[in-house]
Amino acid sequence: MPVAKRLSDGRSPILLDSHDLQARQFMLMNKNIPWLRPHATYEAMLAIELESMRGADLLLHVNIEEHETFSQLLPEKLHALLYPAGPEAPQGPGGDDIVIVASNNTANVESVVWFLREVASRAPEIDIKIIGNIDLGMRSAAPEEYRRYRDCFVGRVDDVRCVYENARLVLLPMVEGFGLSIKTLEAMASGLPMIATSAALRGMKDDVMGLREVTIADDAESFSRALKRKAREPRHTEAQRRASGVRAYFDANFSQAVYRRNLEALVGSLLENGRRR
């Protein structure tokens, strides 16, 4: 913010695009590091964060939860909801893989631990592939589960797009985390059917819950039932994936074209209001 102020020199408006409430993210990351003393409290970090944000003329927020939170914390500022442009993913040709994509962070580790302990044990006949470097976190955080399900862990892949290209079903068993989930956006872009907890859809409008390809399952029993049912269904063709409701939702809310159009409108409005003043 100090750099932005110097560059604007009081003549250009400043837009701040906030990605997550940072104080929450730090608290989440630090809770599993018992040897790190809490040098800063959540309240202290939040105060610093808000003070920096006060220097902007317009605050842009990437999801609904943050928009509501910051609007309450900084009611004197202008706020706007601006979904980010999500990552593209191929819509086929498709394969037989049932996948979980997860990098090695606290929220993902806790979510995969929950899935293996509570869900996978109820559906042992179904093969799952767990993609990403989360295997590193699982080895230390849940060694017993890692040993038991070691064959499920594929590890890091150079191009995650090939995972969606050859998959038939995406699992999003998230039980922890803040902010919009990039994994969820990738799954939507692929047009694949998905089984997800409500937490995986955080930060989006409620209409996402009604998409035909999305099965919501917030407890282990319902998740395992959905997994068994979906595993028996024929895989979607490339044409079906391209025409799916989740892909249409992605295009309407998270495509590059929509992001550019919405950002241009916000910038134009801010500049116009500045000229009027």
Side-chain angles (χ1 to χ4, degrees):
M1 186 55 69
V3 174
K5 286 183 176 180
R6 290 189 66 179
L7 291 173
S8 71
D9 196 24
R11 293 175 295 181
S12 300
I14 298 175
L15 284 73
L16 190 150
D17 189 2
S18 69
H19 285 227
D20 301 331
L21 202 163
Q22 293 300 311
R24 285 179 181 168
Q25 294 291 356
F26 278 112
M27 295 303 292
L28 177 61
M29 289 185 289
N30 290 342
K31 77 175 188 177
N32 288 333
I33 311 178
W35 58 88
L36 180 65
R37 290 194 299 126
H39 292 288
T41 64
Y42 169 80
E43 290 76 17
M45 289 190 288
L46 179 60
I48 296 171
E49 189 171 357
L50 296 179
E51 185 59 31
S52 295
M53 297 175 77
R54 288 189 178 94
D57 296 279
L58 174 62
L59 298 172
L60 307 176
H61 308 295
V62 299
N63 67 67
I64 288 177
E65 292 176 358
E66 288 172 31
H67 181 263
E68 293 176 350
T69 298
F70 282 120
S71 295
Q72 294 173 357
L73 292 170
L74 296 170
E76 74 278 12
K77 305 301 299 185
L78 291 175
H79 299 264
L81 173 65
L82 180 67
Y83 281 141
E88 280 287 347
Q91 291 91 55
D96 294 323
D97 294 343
I98 300 175
V99 301
I100 296 174
V101 177
S103 58
N104 182 23
N105 62 52
T106 300
N108 286 342
V109 169
E110 292 188 10
S111 298
V112 172
V113 168
W114 174 80
F115 175 82
L116 294 179
R117 286 177 180 172
E118 305 296 335
V119 179
S121 59
R122 288 176 162 87
E125 72 279 11
I126 299 176
D127 293 329
I128 308 294
K129 286 188 176 182
I130 303 175
I131 316 295
N133 66 349
I134 192 170
D135 58 324
L136 302 176
M138 290 293 296
R139 289 176 188 176
S140 56
E144 182 178 340
E145 283 72 22
Y146 177 75
R147 285 192 297 269
R148 181 178 178 184
Y149 295 99
R150 186 169 185 171
D151 291 343
C152 296
F153 290 91
V154 176
R156 182 186 180 277
V157 295
D158 291 331
D159 187 358
V160 73
R161 291 177 298 179
C162 67
V163 173
Y164 295 102
E165 188 174 41
N166 298 307
R168 60 181 298 192
L169 177 65
V170 179
L171 309 182
L172 298 162
M174 299 179 200
V175 297
E176 186 67 272
F178 298 108
L180 207 62
S181 170
I182 300 302
K183 296 186 294 298
T184 302
L185 301 190
E186 285 177 337
M188 287 182 165
S190 74
L192 284 164
M194 60 186 74
I195 305 172
T197 59
S198 299
L201 305 172
R202 61 184 182 267
M204 300 185 197
K205 298 174 183 176
D206 290 341
D207 56 352
V208 71
M209 301 288 187
L211 294 175
R212 185 175 64 255
E213 293 84 6
V214 178
T215 301
I216 305 297
D218 283 327
D219 61 81
E221 183 59 37
S222 60
F223 206 110
S224 62
R225 285 200 306 269
L227 177 56
K228 293 175 183 179
R229 184 177 70 255
K230 288 291 184 181
R232 293 193 297 267
E233 295 180 358
R235 74 182 187 210
H236 287 199
T237 65
E238 188 170 352
Q240 287 175 314
R241 288 170 62 170
R242 290 184 181 278
S244 67
V246 287
R247 177 65 207 198
Y249 192 88
F250 177 90
D251 288 337
N253 293 279
F254 302 105
S255 67
Q256 188 71 43
V258 168
Y259 175 81
R260 184 170 56 246
R261 185 186 68 213
N262 291 340
L263 181 59
E264 287 176 352
L266 290 167
V267 171
S269 176
L270 190 62
L271 292 175
E272 182 62 28
N273 291 336
R275 283 192 291 268
R276 289 174 183 171
R277 290 197 296 268

